[in-house]
Amino acid sequence: MARLAIYARLMRYLQPYWLQAVLAYAAMFFVTLLNLLIPQLLRGAVDQGLEAHNASALFVAAAIILGVAVVRGVAGFFQRYYGEWLSYRAAYDLRNDFYTSLQGLSFAFHDQAHTGDLMSRATGDITETERFIGIGLMELLSTVLLMIGVVAAMLLMDLRLALLALLPLPILLVSTVRFGMTVRPQSRHVQDQLGVLSTTMQESLTGIRVVKAFAREPYEFEKFDRDNSIWFRLREGLIRLWGNNWPFFTFLIALSNFLLLFFGGPMALSGEITVGALFAMISYVLMLNGPAQRLGFLVNAAATADASASRVFEIMDTPNTVSERPDARPLTQPRGEVVFENVSFGYRDGLNVLQDICFRAQPGQVIALMGPTGAGKSSIINLIPRFYDPVAGRVLVDGVDVRALTLDSLRGQIGIVLQEPFLFSASIAENIAYGRPTASPAEIERAARAANAHDFIVSFPNGYATRVGERGVTLSGGQKQRIAIARALLYDPRILILDDSTSSVDTETEYIIQQALQTLMQGRTTFVIAQRLLTLKHADQILVLEHGRIVQRGRHEALLAEDGLYRQIYDLQLRDQEQFLAGEGGERGGERVRRREGS
């Protein structure tokens, strides 16, 4: 994205607040004019007061200068207040737009994006942008206007002397522009490396249990230190660049003062110009000292904002591979029929993980998906709520292609328990009610009881108000899954997806959950990825997948009678479960869990 286009796009964030912008920039312009007036007042004080030995003229000039200072202070307040207000308000809107764009991007984007880098863009890059977009831009414009005003005032006072004194100014401007062009790409490298550093930290902290379990703290520190050292070297390069230019900028201002005194002093002594005029011109040159130094800072801030904003807009401009059609219609009065018509799908071009998938799930049926790891089970269920789009074929819900439905209405009828349940850092009740935040405590408890979560929840001192740690770290795997199941049940969807959702619970707990689900699945189409026999025996249809294709389909008894993949998996993994259920686990164990359920 071209630099001017980035700045123009940033400026659009100020448009809704035009009144505050007008007040801020009007105050800035007024302050600049008052600053340009001060040397002229000093000129009058010297010529009409000191030179003429007129004390009253000095007092009048002093009073005027004091009054100007008061007015300038009031105007400066408005400039600073509204300038800062615009900075933070624009950053607020930009951060919201960035987060909204991030939430709207498809699973395919998040599969490849690094969370740490996204966090760096949402915080560090937007912070760098906010430093410039409001007060920084205003100060840059103020500096440019002040420099133009100083040059104009000096030329009007004495053309020859002004031209001599301003000889270093073109060099200053060229040096500043060159500095900005050099610092911009280096700023981008610094921000990119900060994203890498954030990713390294995020991954290490997220996997801190694994790090400690394998005693890999030294390795993680070495990796972080390596990335941090790269960031420091890049930042050090920026500091060196700034350090090399700053003294040169200051030297050019001092050179202007030297030229003024060397050529202007004799002119004042000979009477060609007044002492007051020479004093005013020196004041103007000194007035350039601050802006010249700020100009380097502001150019650096502008370059950094450019680099940071480009990283933010890069995410906001990422095309969404799963987007709503303009004519998409809502899913109304859903029945829960799901049909796959010759569906093929791949996460990468040319590498399909599903090939020519065809099946029909009638409303209220339970469809079990099973097969080896990597067979495509999760990929099938990810296509139903349209987390991804197939590369060929169609997925239909109630006879309508899911691409023709609005995403909210489609996903509003699908409840999902993912293979790796995620809980937020909130109370247990808030996690269960995440899909229905208006649910009553009684409804939350009813869903928890159905998922066999109520007993362990009330065993906590704060019950349903118990706050879980980050990602539910304070709960066991089985507890997290039961809360996730309760969350899906409370959502009351027409289509229920359980992605291996009972894999982390023991056989007795699974039995109780299955009993509850038998009632709750009534009138609901359910897709289950499972390796447990209880799930498979109650399924209306079992789809056996291998290498992305459906190689067998049917009910448990029929598939068991065939000499195929299902029978092989049964002999290797499921026969022990059936023997357990047929023995103590199936009768006395089943009676025990029924007593637990009724207690």
Side-chain angles (χ1 to χ4, degrees), residues 295-435:
L295 192 60
F297 277 117
L298 295 172
V299 169
N300 184 23
T304 303
D306 175 24
S308 296
S310 66
R311 281 169 44 84
V312 173
F313 292 144
E314 182 181 11
I315 300 299
M316 294 173 61
D317 294 338
T318 299
N320 194 345
T321 56
V322 177
S323 57
E324 280 188 6
R325 296 177 179 175
D327 60 344
R329 59 188 180 87
L331 178 63
T332 56
Q333 299 180 339
R335 295 180 293 109
E337 181 190 53
V338 177
V339 177
F340 275 57
E341 292 183 350
N342 307 109
V343 171
S344 296
F345 169 72
Y347 295 98
R348 297 179 180 85
D349 293 339
L351 297 174
N352 286 350
V353 295
L354 296 178
Q355 296 284 352
D356 199 29
I357 300 296
C358 296
F359 69 85
R360 179 184 298 272
Q362 299 290 349
Q365 282 190 334
V366 177
I367 310 298
L369 305 174
M370 75 167 303
T373 300
K377 305 183 293 294
S378 295
S379 298
I380 286 179
I381 63 172
N382 282 336
L383 295 177
I384 300 173
R386 206 185 166 203
F387 292 154
Y388 304 88
D389 281 336
V391 297
R394 299 192 303 167
V395 178
L396 300 100
V397 172
D398 293 345
V400 182
D401 192 325
V402 293
R403 288 169 291 197
L405 297 170
T406 60
L407 290 174
D408 285 347
S409 68
L410 172 65
R411 295 172 183 174
Q413 297 299 331
I414 300 175
I416 304 175
V417 180
L418 296 174
Q419 186 174 11
E420 297 179 4
F422 182 92
L423 299 184
F424 295 90
S425 297
S427 69
I428 292 177
E430 289 172 320
N431 272 285
I432 295 176
Y434 186 76

Side-chain angles (χ1 to χ4, degrees), residues 24-146:
Y25 280 89
M28 178 272 295
F29 186 73
F30 190 53
V31 168
T32 303
L33 287 179
L34 292 178
N35 286 334
L36 291 172
L37 180 62
I38 296 295
Q40 296 299 328
L41 295 174
L42 292 174
R43 175 188 179 184
V46 172
D47 289 341
Q48 299 170 19
L50 291 177
E51 287 290 308
H53 302 284
N54 186 349
S56 60
L58 285 174
F59 293 142
V60 171
I64 294 175
I65 291 173
L66 180 61
V68 168
V70 172
V71 175
R72 185 175 59 181
V74 174
F77 166 79
F78 283 98
Q79 175 186 352
R80 175 61 60 175
Y81 176 82
Y82 285 110
E84 296 284 0
W85 189 92
L86 288 170
S87 292
Y88 294 116
R89 185 67 204 193
Y92 168 85
D93 291 341
L94 179 60
R95 191 173 286 112
N96 275 345
D97 287 350
F98 176 82
Y99 188 74
T100 301
S101 299
L102 203 58
Q103 290 285 319
L105 289 173
S106 65
F107 270 47
F109 168 83
H110 291 285
D111 287 341
Q112 301 181 27
H114 295 286
T115 303
D117 180 60
L118 296 177
M119 291 293 293
S120 175
R121 296 181 195 231
T123 53
D125 286 309
I126 291 181
T127 298
E128 293 293 343
T129 302
E130 82 180 18
R131 291 174 182 173
F132 174 76
I133 190 173
I135 195 66
L137 176 63
M138 188 180 304
E139 289 187 355
L140 179 60
L141 183 58
S142 173
T143 298
V144 172
L145 288 177
L146 185 62

Side-chain angles (χ1 to χ4, degrees), residues 569-597:
I569 296 175
Y570 172 83
D571 289 338
L572 289 172
Q573 301 178 16
L574 304 178
R575 185 180 295 278
D576 291 342
Q577 295 182 33
E578 185 156 50
Q579 292 174 351
F580 174 80
L581 291 173
E584 181 180 0
E587 296 182 10
R588 291 192 297 272
E591 181 62 30
R592 182 170 62 252
V593 295
R594 281 192 291 273
R595 287 199 304 269
R596 285 174 51 194
E597 185 183 33

